[in-house]
Amino acid sequence: MSDDARRPVLARRARLRWDAPRSRHVVVVPEGVLALTEEGAEITALLDGQRSLRAVIDAVAGAHPEAPRGLVEADVREFVERLVERGYVTLETP
Amino acid sequence: MTEAPVALLAELTYRCPLRCAYCSNPTNWRDYGDELDTDGWTRVLREAGELGVLHVHFSGGEPLLRDDLEALVRAARDAGLYTNLITSAWHLTHERLSALADAGLDHVQVSLQDSDAGRADRIAGTTVHAHKLEAARWVKPLGMALSVNAVLHQQNLPFVGEIIALAESLGAQRLELANTQWHGSALVHRDALLPDRETLASARSIALAERQRLRGKMDVIWVIPDWYEDSPKPCMDGWGRRSMTVIPDGTVLPCPGAHGLPGMVWDSVRSRPLGDIWRGGEDFQRYRGTDWMSPTCASCDRRELDFGGCRCQAFALTGDAARTDPACARSPDHHLVTSLRRERPVAAAEPDVALYRIDIRRGRRAS
């Protein structure tokens, strides 16, 4: 469970923004963009280095009381993990 | 409706203290010396942001020769753009790089000419390699992303493994291994630079193996040597489709080589808003989409994958920019490319690029 206390933070070289002409949120990275779903954008906005991974899951679950908690948790973990793998998110130890 | 562009290549100046034999800038670079001023570029950046551009790549020439680079980075960030500096790192100081980071620079791409200082400086035409390594190491501690770009040709392809190891040791997050494209000065120096198939094949297998090894650590990008492929490169991801280039004098082009095409009347940001040029510029429309295509391309299942290849190369080799890129195996002109290929290493001593180099690049601040 110690992993859940770690605080995911979007790397400085990766920036979340609204991409108006294409009506989507994106993470802009060197030489590319990661197109996000609405849920992805919602999660990414929480990766501020202040919240723990547990707190991020809680916040997303809280915003979607209709969704099964287990599903939200799995989605958030997978999403964050993919960004960590690609080096766009780091997990900081509190 | 025309899609919005995602990238702006801002060629701030064609002046450069390096004289790389493979340079793709126009050989008549002096004709573009009337550079946009700070206000002009600031307006370009603002209009690019409004148009939907996400990335700006500050390039040249050597963009560090612009004393207002910090102000332009700031203007780009104000416009919401992700900022990339494409540089030789020539005479770059830690103080200046810090100022650029403070201005909001996101990403620095440093060029390396080779893995060894002697060979690298010979291709660059000046002593710069050792300083590049020092400057590249400053980038990440200042909070920016680091890429390395190495243009590949006959003389450095045998050392591609060493180049990859060097980029790795610098902590680069991306490495572009860009096989020379035959435009500008590169075309002038083709005899010295053109690789043979065997040299290319061994470099390619090293690069692909290293790409596997470095997954998750450093992205290794192999930009294809299109003269040795069956499919052309999808030049600019299509003419006027995703990217636009503004050259030093404010002329707006679909690609950085398009001013070499004859019979075009290009618009300038000095007289027309950027968005207007993107959507309505006559020559911006000329090769957009698929309507202009020759029957070879129009009937091809790859027409929206490689967009007919490179217009500039089609013109350079066939005299008609609307023809299928001869690099494509389906082109009726493909023999023009295959006849230029070298199958084996040239038996005679390699021509020395220093003998071939013509002094096209000496800028106002000559080294």
Side-chain angles (χ1 to χ4, degrees):
Chain A
M1 281 295 113
S2 68
D3 266 11
D4 287 3
R6 289 199 288 173
R7 296 171 177 169
V9 61
L10 195 61
R12 191 193 132 167
R13 67 197 179 95
R15 194 164 335 119
L16 174 67
R17 61 164 288 178
W18 174 246
D19 178 9
R22 289 159 286 264
S23 303
R24 58 180 187 177
H25 277 96
V26 291
V27 173
V28 189
V29 299
E31 308 282 342
V33 296
L34 314 175
L36 301 177
T37 59
E38 273 178 52
E39 295 74 18
E42 197 182 320
I43 300 168
T44 306
L46 297 167
L47 308 181
D48 55 8
Q50 304 298 312
R51 292 177 175 83
S52 65
L53 182 55
R54 170 61 48 198
V56 172
I57 293 167
D58 288 346
V60 178
H64 298 276
E66 74 290 355
R69 164 92 192 183
L71 201 63
V72 170
E73 182 159 342
D75 278 357
V76 173
R77 283 184 196 284
E78 191 198 336
F79 182 82
V80 171
E81 208 167 283
R82 271 165 45 204
L83 290 175
V84 170
E85 270 169 23
R86 302 183 64 171
Y88 300 131
V89 164
T90 51
L91 292 169
E92 313 225 316
T93 314
Chain B
M1 205 187 101
T2 307
E3 287 176 63
V6 292
L8 168 68
L9 177 65
E11 295 189 321
L12 299 181
T13 179
Y14 282 144
R15 290 173 287 135
C16 185
L18 278 64
R19 284 173 290 144
C20 300
Y22 56 69
C23 185
S24 62
N25 277 178
T27 49
N28 63 333
W29 64 278
R30 286 175 200 278
D31 295 346
Y32 304 92
D34 182 17
E35 295 177 7
L36 285 183
D37 62 11
T38 311
D39 287 348
W41 278 114
T42 300
R43 188 164 56 79
V44 168
L45 294 162
R46 191 179 59 240
E47 292 179 359
E50 289 164 1
L51 191 53
V53 168
L54 301 173
H55 281 98
V56 60
H57 305 280
F58 290 113
S59 184
E62 175 47 70
L64 290 170
L65 294 182
R66 289 282 305 216
D67 294 335
D68 56 357
L69 184 58
E70 291 83 342
L72 300 181
V73 168
R74 204 167 280 116
R77 285 296 299 269
D78 288 347
L81 305 178
Y82 191 96
T83 52
N84 178 19
L85 172 63
I86 298 173
T87 181
S88 69
W90 184 81
H91 283 209
L92 176 59
T93 62
H94 189 270
E95 186 187 4
R96 183 146 200 225
L97 193 59
S98 304
L100 288 165
D102 289 345
L105 187 60
D106 294 299
H107 175 206
V108 180
Q109 179 186 300
V110 177
S111 61
L112 294 182
Q113 279 66 34
D114 207 321
S115 56
D116 163 84
R119 290 193 311 267
D121 290 343
R122 198 165 65 100
I123 282 286
T126 186
T127 303
V128 68
H129 180 79
H131 180 68
K132 285 168 178 277
L133 305 187
E134 188 183 6
R137 290 194 173 94
W138 297 331
V139 172
K140 288 211 301 180
L142 287 168
M144 297 174 288
L146 174 66
S147 291
V148 166
N149 173 287
V151 174
L152 300 180
H153 45 79
Q154 180 71 1
Q155 312 208 3
N156 63 7
L157 276 162
F159 306 101
V160 73
E162 287 88 339
I163 293 171
I164 295 168
L166 181 56
E168 183 186 1
S169 77
L170 294 172
Q173 289 136 331
R174 294 177 76 253
L175 168 63
E176 289 178 10
L177 298 170
N179 280 285
T180 300
Q181 305 201 23
W182 306 104
H183 306 290
S185 179
L187 207 49
V188 177
H189 299 123
R190 194 178 69 198
D191 279 352
L193 299 177
L194 183 67
D196 67 83
R197 187 187 292 281
E198 286 175 18
T199 303
L200 259 177
S202 36
R204 180 174 182 275
S205 64
I206 293 170
L208 299 190
E210 288 288 84
R211 181 163 73 189
Q212 276 305 113
R213 181 179 69 81
L214 290 161
R215 267 180 76 136
K217 184 178 179 195
M218 180 170 81
D219 289 334
V220 178
I221 293 115
W222 173 258
V223 179
I224 61 166
D226 62 342
W227 283 15
Y228 291 87
E229 307 280 334
D230 288 337
S231 300
K233 53 184 185 282
C235 203
M236 303 308 285
D237 282 326
W239 178 279
R241 183 167 165 270
R242 296 176 57 79
S243 179
M244 65 202 312
T245 299
V246 179
I247 66 172
D249 68 356
T251 304
V252 188
L253 303 173
C255 86
H259 36 34
L261 299 175
M264 304 285 210
V265 183
W266 299 109
D267 289 296
S268 168
V269 292
R270 294 180 202 259
S271 53
R272 202 172 172 188
L274 196 64
D276 206 22
I277 298 173
W278 173 259
R279 286 182 294 264
E282 193 184 329
D283 287 320
F284 244 89
Q285 311 277 21
R286 189 178 297 243
Y287 303 118
R288 187 176 259 155
T290 54
D291 289 350
W292 59 274
M293 286 180 170
S294 69
T296 309
C297 287
S299 62
C300 179
D301 56 358
R302 292 184 53 85
R303 65 187 176 277
E304 294 191 62
L305 295 175
D306 54 37
F307 309 99
C310 172
R311 296 304 88 230
C312 301
Q313 180 152 281
F315 172 71
L317 294 176
T318 75
D320 178 359
R323 287 181 75 79
T324 300
D325 185 339
C328 180
R330 301 175 190 187
S331 156
D333 307 309
H334 190 48
H335 64 278
L336 295 174
V337 163
T338 54
S339 64
L340 291 167
R341 289 177 180 167
R342 287 176 175 160
E343 296 302 321
R344 285 182 188 85
V346 179
E350 286 301 327
D352 187 335
V353 287
L355 297 177
Y356 283 74
R357 185 181 297 113
I358 49 172
D359 183 14
I360 60 164
R361 305 307 308 276
R362 202 169 284 281
R364 285 204 292 273
R365 281 173 58 176
S367 59

